[in-house]
Amino acid sequence: MISVQHVKKIFPAKSEEVVAVKDVNLEIKEGEIFGIIGYSGAGKSTLIRMFNGLEMPTEGSIYIEGKDITRMKESKLRLARQEIGMIFQHFHLLWSRTVYGNIAFPLEIAGIPKKERDERVRELIQLVGLEGKENAYPSELSGGQKQRVGIARALANKPKVLLSDEATSALDPDTTDAILDLLVDINKKLGLTIILITHEMHVIKKICHRVAVMEKGKIVETGPVLEVFKHPEQPVTKRFVGQVTDAEDMKETVGRLLEKYQSGKIVKLTFVGEVAEEPIISTLIQKQLIVVNILHGNISHTRHGAYGTLFIHMDGKEEEVRNAIQFLLSRQIGVEVIEHV
Amino acid sequence: MFEQLFPNVDWEKAWEKTVETLYMTGISLIWIFFIGVLLGLLLFLTSKDNLWENMIIHGFVASIVNIFRSIPFVILIVLLLPFTKIIVGTIIGKEAAIPALIIGSAPFYARMVEIGLREIDKGVIEAAQAMGAKTSTIIFKVLLPESMPAIVSGITVTAIALVGYTAIAGVIGAGGLGDYAYLDGFSRNNNDVTLFATLVILLIVFIIQFTGDYITKKIDKR
């Protein structure tokens, strides 16, 4: 449905030109929620802005439903943009218009007659759960409500694609989850393709089908979310996966435990899919003559199953410990012995 | 009581002069509003990283605005006399003051409109572009409504300055309260007339300020 081919973007600057995006290739399927994650400055913002021509690539093409968005005439591009919704980190609502007026704005642009517009706005207000707020001004709304207006506005002209530019980054965790649920809901109900960029792995984990990791203007890793969680290859990907699986004070704790427990081994276990829900540890203790001390655990639910990590300390005879590791490996569990922080 | 406080004020004449001041202020203000908004938009749109980015047009408009904003008003009137003569047909009276009032104040107002437009979040303009809006739609449905409080408070400040300018124009033959205060008051040593004219001007300024503030507050939903 969407095909990005050899896209490159160079910003000319006085001293030295800035290469924001270099040779990006992507294929995004219809009805998919596709996440692009990267730290700030990775070029993800520039990339998403090229999907609707807010930024034009220096080289390469972007096809949306077979049409090359980068080679369109101004008037054609305007029509194409009506079929691509976009939501923003800071909402970008018109403060001079009410909720109703903001949602009606894209319909006015598309030249929809008043009566139809009225109906459509009412539908959208219901869809995003803002009944009763029609006549409120943006300044009277909370962040989450503002983003709901943004979403309703983006969906007004029944787009096939929704671009989300860090749409939850300015919201608190609870509101973030509510907005993400709304996006999943819309994706299912309307069959909408969603492309989102974020710097939070939590967002990817919660709603995306596939993810691309971006670093220094390049896509360094891409694949289904659970796969990327299981086998992160690049260091940057590992850091992002760590965002959701490792507690912040983990390193410190492990360091202290390594000092404290001179014997035995500290092991990081990773479970994927169904094994994450099996009683592995109790089986382990029954089978091997070792002492197990659970240090830290975490289960993340992605859209294609669970992904868990568990830090344990195993103590006992060296041979027993080795057998225990063999047993865990035989159960398709990732085992990583931690010897230093 | 008024008769005792202001023995030399001719009430009929005072009223006539007040109407002249209001006339000059009112007519010029309408022109200033349209010219100022137009120039303000042009300054904004042609500036860097904007919809019609064009440094040549921007530089040209900006220098004209700056030049006319810098010429002291008394000098501007004199400089414009030949121009006024062609346009209005006379250089005396309330009509003759209007070209100078417009040319003297519109650039000042244009700058205020430009500042108001600059305060609009760039992202909002971008959001409208992402929805497929034409530039004309962006001007009339985004730029002007979103900067309306600045446009209104700007015209309030301009209107007040304009009342002052009409008084200056009055002294060199345009009529109005300035003329009244100078000729009937100062020149004939009737201090009460000068004082009275001042009070009326103050009253006009207060009414403009109050109305402007009220409307600004009413339309500002930020």
Side-chain angles (χ1 to χ4, degrees), chain B residues 5-209:
Chain B
L5 268 174
F6 305 107
N8 300 306
V9 173
D10 173 346
W11 300 104
E12 216 164 285
K13 195 168 182 189
W15 174 247
E16 189 191 309
K17 294 292 176 188
T18 308
V19 171
E20 276 175 10
T21 293
L22 291 176
Y23 176 84
M24 285 187 284
T25 312
I27 299 289
S28 334
L29 203 59
I30 293 169
W31 282 93
I32 290 165
F33 178 78
F34 285 108
I35 296 171
V37 169
L38 216 70
L39 285 178
L41 273 171
L42 199 59
L43 279 171
F44 175 74
L45 290 169
T46 55
S47 63
K48 204 171 175 304
D49 295 328
N50 251 303
L51 294 170
W52 295 343
E53 180 175 339
N54 186 321
M55 285 339 260
I56 297 171
I57 295 180
H58 184 82
F60 180 71
V61 177
S63 32
I64 291 203
V65 163
N66 283 344
I67 289 169
F68 280 99
R69 220 164 46 130
S70 312
I71 302 174
F73 187 64
V74 188
I75 300 172
L76 186 70
I77 301 177
V78 180
L79 278 177
L80 284 176
L81 284 179
F83 175 75
T84 307
K85 176 96 184 155
I86 296 168
I87 293 220
V88 189
T90 174
I91 53 165
I92 299 291
K94 55 188 201 293
E95 302 285 350
I98 289 173
L101 287 172
I102 295 170
I103 294 171
S105 300
F108 173 66
Y109 181 50
R111 277 292 184 202
M112 284 199 275
V113 171
E114 188 202 359
I115 291 167
L117 290 167
R118 274 190 202 293
E119 273 172 24
I120 300 173
D121 183 358
K122 275 247 163 71
V124 175
I125 300 168
E126 208 171 78
Q129 283 180 301
M131 288 178 226
K134 281 187 275 200
T135 305
S136 60
T137 312
I138 293 178
I139 291 174
F140 288 106
K141 296 203 167 188
V142 180
L143 296 181
L144 293 179
E146 292 283 299
S147 62
M148 204 39 92
I151 288 176
V152 173
S153 66
I155 202 72
T156 310
V157 175
T158 309
I160 289 167
L162 204 55
V163 174
Y165 284 170
T166 63
I168 299 174
V171 174
I172 46 176
L177 288 163
D179 167 49
Y180 190 47
Y182 183 70
L183 281 186
D184 293 32
F186 176 72
S187 305
R188 296 185 195 163
N189 217 4
N190 293 331
N191 286 335
D192 61 323
V193 173
T194 312
L195 182 65
F196 182 75
T198 312
L199 288 177
V200 176
I201 287 175
L202 281 180
L203 185 69
I204 294 172
V205 168
F206 284 152
I207 291 172
I208 294 172
Q209 185 75 61

Side-chain angles (χ1 to χ4, degrees), chain A residues 49 52 54 78 81-82 84 86 88 90-97 105-106 108-109 137 139 153 157, chain B residues 121 123-124 126-135 137 141-142 145-149 219-222:
Chain A
R49 289 159 53 82
N52 62 358
L54 282 179
R78 278 204 302 270
R81 278 173 174 170
Q82 291 176 11
I84 307 169
M86 189 167 194
F88 306 87
H90 298 293
F91 327 117
H92 298 335
L93 303 178
L94 297 166
W95 61 256
S96 58
R97 286 181 175 227
F105 185 40
E108 288 168 24
I109 292 172
Y137 284 91
S139 61
R153 181 175 74 173
N157 284 318
Chain B
D121 183 358
V124 175
E126 208 171 78
Q129 283 180 301
M131 288 178 226
K134 281 187 275 200
T135 305
T137 312
K141 296 203 167 188
V142 180
E146 292 283 299
S147 62
M148 204 39 92
I219 56 175
D220 197 345
K221 306 287 183 190
R222 275 175 291 197

Side-chain angles (χ1 to χ4, degrees), chain A residues 28 36 42 50 54 61 75 96 105 130 135 153 177 185-186 201 235 269-271 302 317 329 341:
Chain A
I28 296 163
I36 299 167
M50 288 194 276
L54 282 179
S61 305
S75 55
S96 58
F105 185 40
L130 280 175
N135 298 319
R153 181 175 74 173
D177 282 353
D185 193 40
I186 289 163
M201 201 60 183
L269 309 178
T270 46
F271 312 83
T302 75
K317 281 188 197 144
L329 286 171
V341 181

Side-chain angles (χ1 to χ4, degrees), chain A residues 239-257:
Chain A
R239 264 158 75 203
F240 276 122
V241 171
Q243 261 184 20
V244 279
T245 55
D246 302 348
E248 261 177 42
D249 48 3
M250 197 54 223
K251 273 191 174 175
E252 209 182 305
T253 317
V254 171
R256 232 180 308 123
L257 289 164

Side-chain angles (χ1 to χ4, degrees), chain A residues 159-203:
Chain A
K160 300 185 182 76
V161 184
L162 178 68
L163 306 175
S164 161
D165 186 352
E166 298 268 11
T168 57
S169 299
L171 304 173
D172 63 59
D174 282 351
T175 315
T176 295
D177 282 353
I179 293 293
L180 293 178
D181 287 339
L182 177 63
L183 289 178
V184 171
D185 193 40
I186 289 163
N187 167 256
K188 279 189 193 144
K189 254 192 221 161
L190 311 176
L192 195 71
T193 309
I194 301 178
I195 302 171
L196 62 86
I197 62 165
T198 182
H199 61 267
E200 294 168 309
M201 201 60 183
H202 171 76
V203 172

